[in-house]
Amino acid sequence: MKNIKIFICVILLSLSSVLPVFALPDEKSYENGIFVIDELDEFSDEEKLELNEYAKYISDNVGIDIVYIQSVDCDGMSIGEYAKKALEKGGWIDPAIVLVYESEENLYIEYMTESLREIYDEDYIEKLWGEMVKVEGETFANPVKYYMTSVAQKYDETYNNGDFVDYLSIDDKANKIENDEEITLLEDNADLIPDDKEPDLLKKAEDISKKYKVDVVIATVDSLNGQGTHEFADKFYKEREYNKDGIMLLLSDEDRDYMLHKSGKIDKAFTTYWEDYILTDVLAQLKENKYAEAFDIYLDKTQEILPQIKEDGTLPKPPINPLLYVGGIAGGFLIAFIIVSIGKGSLKSVAFSRTANSYLKEGSLNLRESSESFLYRNVTRREKPKPKENSSSSGGGGSSTRSGKY
């Protein structure tokens, strides 16, 4: 079935070079697997096929239809009206989003079904467009694919498991955004770390990350912009495409919030005990605004913990202080002694007696004959259930953030 769809797609794309091109898509677009319409004939046939296959993959696996249309003059309509009619006529299924480019006026517009408007607000769209123009490529095919990937990831994070990645070129640097500043394991946006300390911290973070195949990240920001700590940290970590297995200490200067964000196998391994092991000394330094010292301790503590992760993805159980056992037993005896002493003091003393005759009224009890007889017994037996076997796997895990004030 898939080969037939590809064959039909190739035929349609081939015919587009000899048949007249209509500005508006027809109702068969979705049915024929057409998500990219190139009236400008800028993309090669291979690029069109790849983009349409990719959009179809997103539709089938993520659940959102992402459309891109390049038009000469939007069939004489305004670009907004054209985008709306294109989405209605193309037969794409809700939720759907369309990005239209009109070459005559050099205009872009994005139009989406109502269910998506809460996800993709104006700030997100504005940022996405700014990122698209920085993507390298001989044609606009790479920016279009970046657009599809970004929109799909955002939708997947909101409604699915958030694991969607660009399956066509995850390691293809030509399709990744060329940032104004290089994204590294140390991102001091709030300028809290002295300049002369940054190189050593970055080198240590890189060495640890390389040795243990996880990303150990240091980051600061001016503020959370009204977002929750976990939401902000998770978005910050994912947008920079750090390793799925990693840990990040993120500080918000304005709010004086710290966020210890863990992802993948680190999230699975690190319990509250190990978080406390890292944060106790770190927070002591942060409260005195000794940021470089705090991050250095964070790196040292993390480096101590990582080699202790076992093959099943867990860390050793926290050591138990034997004094706790001694203290617990001694405390129990002390409490019991106090309770018994109080109860004993409230009792009236009585004389010792070998029998209970003094409690009987004379002549009230007369037993002529006494004996004991065993009547029956009722025993119910049930099989003891066997313990269930628990399966475990290394790696995996989601993400979590421990946060607070410093």
Side-chain angles (χ1 to χ4, degrees):
M1 179 63 70
K2 183 176 180 182
N3 292 332
I4 295 175
K5 289 184 177 179
I6 294 175
F7 176 75
I8 294 173
C9 187
V10 172
I11 295 298
L12 290 172
L13 293 172
S14 301
L15 290 174
S16 65
S17 61
V18 295
L19 295 177
V21 180
F22 299 94
L24 280 172
D26 60 33
E27 58 187 11
K28 296 290 185 179
S29 295
Y30 175 81
E31 184 178 329
N32 292 330
I34 305 297
F35 293 81
V36 175
I37 299 173
D38 180 23
E39 185 180 341
L40 307 181
D41 201 25
E42 179 185 2
F43 302 149
S44 67
D45 289 345
E46 291 77 14
E47 287 175 326
K48 292 178 188 176
L49 181 59
E50 182 185 51
L51 289 172
N52 278 292
E53 280 281 285
Y54 186 34
K56 185 65 169 63
Y57 172 86
I58 292 172
S59 178
D60 292 341
N61 292 274
V62 181
I64 180 174
D65 287 351
I66 304 174
V67 182
Y68 176 74
I69 301 175
Q70 294 190 149
S71 176
V72 175
D73 61 357
C74 288
D75 204 20
M77 292 180 276
S78 69
I79 189 171
E81 182 184 3
Y82 174 87
K84 180 180 180 181
K85 288 191 174 183
L87 195 56
E88 292 172 351
K89 286 196 64 178
W92 298 289
I93 300 174
D94 186 11
I97 185 170
V98 57
L99 175 62
V100 177
Y101 168 64
E102 182 196 73
S103 63
E104 188 173 84
E105 298 291 337
N106 194 26
L107 294 175
Y108 284 97
I109 192 168
E110 200 152 13
Y111 188 84
M112 64 193 78
T113 52
E114 193 66 32
S115 60
L116 297 178
R117 297 190 185 279
E118 292 185 3
I119 307 175
Y120 309 106
D121 55 24
E122 292 183 4
D123 291 339
Y124 174 83
I125 298 301
E126 183 178 352
K127 180 182 178 183
L128 178 58
W129 287 20
E131 291 173 344
M132 285 177 63
V133 299
K134 298 177 185 176
V135 178
E136 299 174 341
E138 295 181 2
T139 69
F140 205 63
N142 283 339
V144 171
K145 189 159 65 173
Y146 177 84
Y147 150 74
M148 290 180 172
T149 301
S150 300
V151 171
Q153 286 177 335
K154 178 76 170 176
Y155 187 86
D156 193 52
E157 289 171 3
T158 305
Y159 292 112
N160 302 325
N161 53 21
D163 293 335
F164 175 79
V165 294
D166 179 356
Y167 87 115
L168 290 175
S169 56
I170 188 170
D171 294 320
D172 184 358
K173 301 302 180 183
N175 291 326
K176 292 187 181 293
I177 181 171
E178 182 183 9
N179 296 286
D180 295 333
E181 297 181 5
E182 183 182 1
I183 295 174
T184 69
L185 295 175
L186 191 156
E187 194 169 326
D188 185 22
N189 299 301
D191 198 24
L192 299 179
I193 305 171
D195 293 340
D196 61 328
K197 300 291 185 181
E198 286 191 12
D200 291 338
L201 290 173
L202 177 58
K203 178 67 165 55
K204 183 182 285 190
E206 289 175 340
D207 290 345
I208 298 172
S209 300
K210 183 177 180 180
K211 183 175 181 179
Y212 297 105
K213 295 180 175 57
V214 300
D215 276 355
V216 182
V217 183
I218 295 170
T220 70
V221 294
D222 292 319
S223 73
L224 300 179
N225 298 321
Q227 298 183 59
T229 51
H230 177 69
E231 177 189 3
F232 187 93
D234 192 56
K235 183 178 180 181
F236 187 99
Y237 192 92
K238 287 182 177 178
E239 282 184 347
R240 282 145 184 81
E241 298 183 352
Y242 290 127
N243 191 325
K244 68 176 183 178
D245 300 318
I247 184 171
M248 174 179 67
L249 180 58
L250 173 64
L251 304 181
S252 171
D253 184 33
E254 180 182 311
D255 311 287
R256 291 190 72 82
D257 278 316
Y258 74 85
M259 289 149 278
L260 187 66
H261 183 76
K262 303 162 297 167
S263 179
K265 70 178 184 181
I266 301 300
D267 182 48
K268 177 183 178 182
F270 278 50
T271 59
T272 303
Y273 170 82
W274 296 105
E275 292 173 357
D276 290 338
Y277 182 76
I278 293 175
L279 289 172
T280 300
D281 294 334
V282 168
L283 292 176
Q285 298 296 320
L286 289 178
K287 289 175 182 178
E288 298 181 13
N289 295 329
K290 296 180 179 179
Y291 298 105
E293 292 82 354
F295 284 123
D296 193 48
I297 293 172
Y298 154 70
L299 293 175
D300 287 340
K301 296 281 190 179
T302 302
Q303 189 173 19
E304 290 178 27
I305 298 171
L306 289 176
Q308 300 184 56
I309 297 179
K310 297 182 288 187
E311 290 185 1
D312 63 356
T314 62
L315 280 163
K317 292 183 178 180
I320 299 176
N321 190 341
L323 293 178
L324 294 176
Y325 284 112
V326 176
I329 294 172
F333 274 114
L334 179 61
I335 293 172
F337 176 77
I338 293 173
I339 294 173
V340 171
S341 298
I342 294 173
K344 180 179 179 182
S346 64
L347 294 176
K348 295 180 179 180
S349 60
V350 294
F352 176 78
S353 176
R354 293 183 178 276
T355 66
N357 292 334
S358 58
Y359 294 97
L360 293 176
K361 184 177 180 181
E362 188 175 350
S364 63
L365 180 65
N366 184 16
L367 294 177
R368 296 183 179 180
E369 193 176 313
S370 63
S371 65
E372 295 181 358
S373 300
F374 177 77
L375 298 178
Y376 57 84
R377 101 180 144 178
N378 184 11
V379 179
T380 302
R381 293 183 173 89
R382 65 178 63 180
E383 184 179 0
K384 182 180 179 181
K386 296 180 180 179
K388 296 182 180 178
E389 296 182 0
N390 294 321
S391 61
S392 61
S393 60
S394 59
S399 67
S400 65
T401 304
R402 175 168 172 178
S403 61
K405 301 290 184 180
Y406 65 88

